[in-house]
Amino acid sequence: MVKTSLNTSLSKRKCIKTIGSGKDRLSDSSMVRTSLNTSLSKRKCTKTKGSGEDRLRDYPMVRTSLNTSLHKRKFIKTKVSGKDWLSDLPEYLLCQILSKLPTKDSVRTSVLSPRWRNLWSHVSALDLGFHDFKDDLDKEEFIDSFMKSHKELDFKLKSFKLVYDVNEHFHDEFVWRLNKVVKRGVCELTVLNMVDVDEALVRMPLSLYSCATLVSLTLYCVVFDHPESKSVSLPCVKSMYLEGVKFDGDSVLETLISSCPVLEDLTVITHPDDYLEVVRVRSQSLKSFRL
């Protein structure tokens, strides 16, 4: 038994010593050779296949898992794209989204579905350009109708922007409409006057001097009349941009600025024909000033 074991051991050692190549060295060890070939086959498969899916072709379980994952991703994408998630949002969020658009684009959304038909009229913002209407009368009627519906629904008008260009300016009508805007609790007011004739420069209503809700004021080519005996108080104004604005008196601008206790950003670009020699700014809250 010892001799036979020794002969067997010597035979194996001789086999291993005499055979040259790594694969032939294991020619008498079929189990080990089979294992090695299988391992090499897998390594070769992994190395030679190009794409990620092809590399896993010999691994059915992994491949099935990958296909399932891709299928789920495709299914989820199709499902999301087919559902109108926007219309499922609450009305107040939809109105906030519409308030970031010009009013003409907000009105266009009324054709999307029955729910969107009157949604634009609940938006607390008006952003109007002079090209949005075929004539001045249409624009005035639209503003009046919008303001009337907001008053009936007791809505606040948070933002009002008007690019103003008319064939003939009527001061009384203009001031009357802006007074209604101020009374509706406007927070952001922008009036850009495109009429370049000096006598047609629009004059701001005196009610603007005491707008308690105003936070941001942007004006272009308008006139500020002297407040005279009217009290001036703008307690919430933080930003004021005045370009090409004429002031009816040297003290009007100073009075306007000093009436804003929380004013942080101020820009004043004087009108070329305005002989404002001195600009006096007194503010304890001002962070940015451009003249």
Side-chain angles (χ1 to χ4, degrees), residues 238-282:
K238 291 185 176 182
S239 175
M240 189 181 296
Y241 181 95
L242 309 174
E243 181 176 354
V245 175
K246 282 189 172 184
F247 301 95
D248 186 18
D250 294 338
S251 62
V252 175
L253 179 58
E254 181 183 353
T255 302
L256 187 66
I257 296 172
S258 61
S259 67
C260 306
V262 295
L263 183 64
E264 296 180 356
D265 300 311
L266 173 63
T267 297
V268 179
I269 303 174
T270 58
H271 192 280
D273 297 331
D274 195 350
Y275 302 101
L276 191 64
E277 296 182 357
V278 178
V279 177
R280 183 179 292 126
V281 176
R282 294 180 180 180

Side-chain angles (χ1 to χ4, degrees), residues 7-166:
N7 291 338
T8 304
S9 176
L10 289 172
S11 174
K12 285 185 178 179
R13 289 176 63 187
K14 183 179 181 181
C15 175
I16 295 172
K17 184 176 180 181
T18 55
I19 304 302
S21 65
K23 191 172 180 182
D24 291 340
R25 259 202 311 268
L26 298 170
S27 59
D28 292 333
S29 307
S30 57
M31 183 177 69
V32 177
R33 187 176 72 249
T34 304
S35 174
L36 178 61
N37 290 341
T38 305
S39 176
L40 289 172
S41 173
K42 287 184 179 180
R43 289 175 62 189
K44 183 179 181 182
C45 172
T46 305
K47 185 176 181 181
T48 56
K49 304 298 181 181
S51 66
E53 241 179 302
D54 291 340
R55 269 203 301 269
L56 298 169
R57 186 169 294 170
D58 293 331
Y59 301 90
M61 184 176 69
V62 178
R63 188 176 71 249
T64 304
S65 175
L66 178 62
N67 292 341
T68 304
S69 177
L70 291 173
H71 174 71
K72 284 184 178 178
R73 287 172 63 188
K74 184 177 180 181
F75 174 75
I76 293 171
K77 185 178 179 181
T78 305
K79 187 176 180 181
V80 170
S81 61
K83 183 174 177 59
D84 185 8
W85 293 98
L86 188 61
S87 293
D88 287 342
L89 293 175
E91 183 174 315
Y92 78 94
L93 281 180
L94 293 176
C95 288
Q96 284 188 19
I97 294 172
L98 292 180
S99 68
K100 306 300 181 182
L101 301 175
T103 300
K104 66 176 182 179
D105 293 332
S106 178
V107 173
R108 286 171 180 166
T109 62
S110 61
V111 301
L112 295 178
S113 70
R115 188 189 179 194
W116 290 80
R117 186 169 299 158
N118 297 315
L119 198 60
W120 66 270
S121 63
H122 298 168
V123 176
S124 60
L126 271 180
D127 184 349
L128 305 173
F130 59 87
H131 289 309
D132 296 344
F133 305 90
K134 63 180 182 180
D135 55 39
D136 299 339
L137 182 60
D138 275 354
K139 177 180 61 181
E140 294 166 359
E141 289 179 350
F142 180 85
I143 295 175
D144 294 343
S145 176
F146 186 89
M147 297 296 294
K148 182 179 179 181
S149 65
H150 261 228
K151 185 177 181 180
E152 292 173 352
L153 296 171
D154 197 26
F155 288 164
K156 298 292 184 182
L157 185 63
K158 294 182 179 180
S159 176
F160 181 84
K161 179 180 178 180
L162 176 64
V163 181
Y164 188 70
D165 191 4
V166 293

Side-chain angles (χ1 to χ4, degrees), residues 149-187:
S149 65
H150 261 228
K151 185 177 181 180
E152 292 173 352
L153 296 171
D154 197 26
F155 288 164
K156 298 292 184 182
L157 185 63
K158 294 182 179 180
S159 176
F160 181 84
K161 179 180 178 180
L162 176 64
V163 181
Y164 188 70
D165 191 4
V166 293
N167 296 322
E168 188 175 0
H169 173 64
F170 296 98
H171 171 72
D172 292 339
E173 290 185 8
F174 178 82
V175 169
W176 175 73
R177 288 189 176 85
L178 272 190
N179 274 331
K180 291 202 298 183
V181 170
V182 171
K183 290 179 181 179
R184 296 309 303 161
V186 66
C187 296

